[in-house]
Amino acid sequence: MAWCKDLGLQITVDQMGSIFARKKGLNPDLPVILSGSHLDSQPSGGRFDGVLGVLAALEAVHTIIDHGISHHHDIEIVSWTNEEGVRFAPAMVASGVYGGAFTLEYGLDRIDADGIRLGDELKRIGCAGDRSAVFNPESPVKAYLELHIEQGPVLERSGKPIGVVAGVQGIRWYDVTITGNETHAGPTPMHLRQDPVPVLGKLIARLYDMVTAHGPDARLTIGELAASPGSRNTVPGTVRFTIDIRHPDATILEYMHRDVVSICTELGAHCSKIWDSPPVHFDQQCIAAVEAAATEYGYPFLSMVSGAGHDAVYVSRVAPVAMIFIPCRDGVSHNESEFSTPEQVTAGANVLLGTLLRLLNVQDAGQQTTPFSH
Ligand code: GLV
Ligand code: MN
Ligand code: MN
């Protein structure tokens, strides 16, 4: 926020804690162009997932200011709250409130594992703003652009510096509980126990067989798993775990969902779906602007579908959206070793800047700005 204020940008914070920094254009009646991503991370997250998109938007705006480029539309940099959904599930919650996928009450009422409310935490850290967190159709958005690392190995293997994102695959999240009976680990013979762990073993095997049966584009992840009360010499009374399933095709995702529910039901596990983010397709004109910018600056690109969820998914419900990917080393993300080279970051920032200039209808954009060199 200090960097944005130094550039003379006007800062507002919305009711979900998302931060906006606005550079005024010449015509306040025109729709704003938004660009950004998120600054929250994962338990062992790296320095690029989210941060890249916010800083690159700031750098692009900085460049427009440095070059004295006049433009008619306002530009707004945005950092969305809680994209990751680690402490407060689900993911993309503030952009979801903005895009109308969730109500404001739902967003603020998310609770963490200790029962603490997101809305209360925003107040406690001084981040509960007063700007409406919900998109207002009377203030339309011309386009939303998000630069991000790919977070997988596809782009790096293609050898191309830029990914033009056609859309994002569908995601569903579940909380699963298997209930047994707590008892001492020693005295109770195996056949007299109600131990949820053998059920867990069968369930996991069935789930992984299921995802394999749905082909190479299907994904399943069990990322959180806990036995309660969590003592090595007590047979657990409950086992809880999470399921994340993904597929680019809505019909196959629905078949996977039915399989998850029937496998859990057959084995006596309680399964509740807590998040459903359908596959999305981004805006053709915004995609064309990204491709034109990449071509103008001489970067070959790959058209691709995003495996990860992004704030752009929910913003696309209310505005035309495009995303730009750059490769990350070995496709590793959600880990501290996440890395993209200065050259890769530079290419992404250049394509973001070039796309912004096109959408701003700035004449001779290519002549007015020299692409960044790292
Ligand atoms: C969101 O970041 C996701 O892909 O889980
Ligand atoms: Mn991200
Ligand atoms: Mn992430």
Side-chain angles (χ1 to χ4, degrees):
M1 284 167 75
W3 291 340
C4 290
K5 282 182 190 152
D6 287 348
L7 289 176
L9 307 182
Q10 182 196 328
I11 312 269
T12 46
V13 179
D14 77 13
Q15 296 154 302
M16 287 298 296
S18 297
I19 301 167
F20 297 80
R22 185 175 283 243
K23 179 183 185 304
K24 291 270 182 210
L26 297 172
N27 187 345
D29 296 330
L30 291 176
V32 64
I33 297 182
L34 273 182
S35 182
S37 192
H38 62 97
L39 296 174
D40 64 311
S41 189
Q42 289 279 330
S44 55
R47 295 172 293 161
F48 293 79
D49 174 4
V51 181
L52 172 71
V54 178
L55 291 189
L58 177 58
E59 187 63 17
V61 168
H62 198 163
T63 301
I64 287 170
I65 292 171
D66 278 352
H67 287 260
I69 296 169
S70 62
H71 52 88
H72 289 270
H73 297 262
D74 288 6
I75 311 170
E76 214 163 37
I77 303 163
V78 55
S79 164
W80 302 105
T81 295
N82 192 38
E83 190 276 344
E84 299 289 359
V86 175
R87 178 175 167 197
F88 297 98
M92 295 138 53
V93 76
S95 53
V97 170
Y98 180 82
F102 310 126
T103 63
L104 175 62
E105 292 67 33
Y106 174 89
L108 294 173
D109 282 346
R110 298 301 83 219
I111 51 165
D112 71 6
D114 299 320
I116 297 174
R117 222 178 130 255
L118 174 55
D120 295 336
E121 279 299 79
L122 288 174
K123 275 195 201 132
R124 187 181 67 77
I125 65 171
C127 271
D130 50 16
R131 169 175 166 148
S132 169
V134 182
F135 169 76
N136 174 5
E138 283 169 23
S139 311
V141 170
K142 181 176 159 105
Y144 171 71
L145 301 173
E146 183 167 348
L147 171 65
H148 209 283
I149 57 170
E150 190 229 343
Q151 307 186 270
V154 177
L155 189 54
E156 186 181 55
R157 283 173 188 220
S158 79
K160 300 206 166 120
I162 294 293
V164 179
V165 186
V168 177
Q169 68 179 341
I171 309 171
R172 296 192 194 186
W173 281 5
Y174 305 81
D175 284 336
V176 186
T177 308
I178 310 168
T179 307
N181 267 335
E182 272 175 46
T183 185
H184 193 292
T188 316
M190 297 308 283
H191 71 283
L192 295 180
R193 298 179 182 198
Q194 272 188 292
D195 184 347
V197 175
V199 181
L200 174 71
K202 286 186 195 141
L203 199 53
I204 289 181
R206 295 269 311 268
L207 288 170
Y208 279 88
D209 285 348
M210 177 280 285
V211 71
T212 307
H214 283 293
D217 291 335
R219 309 273 186 269
L220 178 135
T221 303
I222 295 174
E224 287 180 44
L225 209 157
S228 173
S231 156
R232 73 171 67 221
N233 51 355
T234 300
V235 174
T238 53
V239 172
R240 290 196 167 79
F241 66 98
T242 59
I243 303 175
D244 171 314
I245 56 168
R246 303 187 186 215
H247 202 285
D249 182 315
T251 308
I252 300 180
L253 189 63
E254 177 61 24
Y255 290 145
M256 291 168 68
H257 162 78
R258 290 180 196 180
D259 286 348
V260 166
V261 172
S262 68
I263 291 168
C264 288
T265 308
E266 275 172 42
L267 290 170
H270 180 264
C271 166
S272 69
K273 186 180 77 173
I274 63 147
W275 186 40
D276 184 346
S277 175
V280 301
H281 303 281
F282 290 149
D283 178 74
Q284 280 310 323
Q285 275 180 313
C286 288
I287 291 172
V290 174
E291 291 176 347
T295 304
E296 179 184 14
Y297 292 155
Y299 298 118
F301 59 83
L302 180 73
S303 295
M304 58 194 304
V305 173
S306 173
H310 296 287
D311 292 308
V313 166
Y314 285 145
V315 181
S316 76
R317 294 182 172 218
V318 292
V321 162
M323 284 192 77
I324 303 157
F325 275 172
I326 58 167
C328 54
R329 188 173 60 200
D330 301 327
V332 174
S333 183
H334 285 184
N335 183 268
E336 285 163 10
S337 62
E338 189 176 80
F339 183 72
S340 298
T341 65
E343 291 81 357
Q344 289 168 330
V345 168
T346 301
N350 277 331
V351 175
L352 177 67
L353 174 65
T355 310
L356 263 176
L357 292 172
R358 278 170 186 278
L359 295 173
L360 287 165
N361 297 318
V362 173
Q363 293 298 308
D364 303 326
Q367 279 71 52
Q368 287 195 45
T369 56
T370 316
F372 304 128
S373 56
H374 63 274

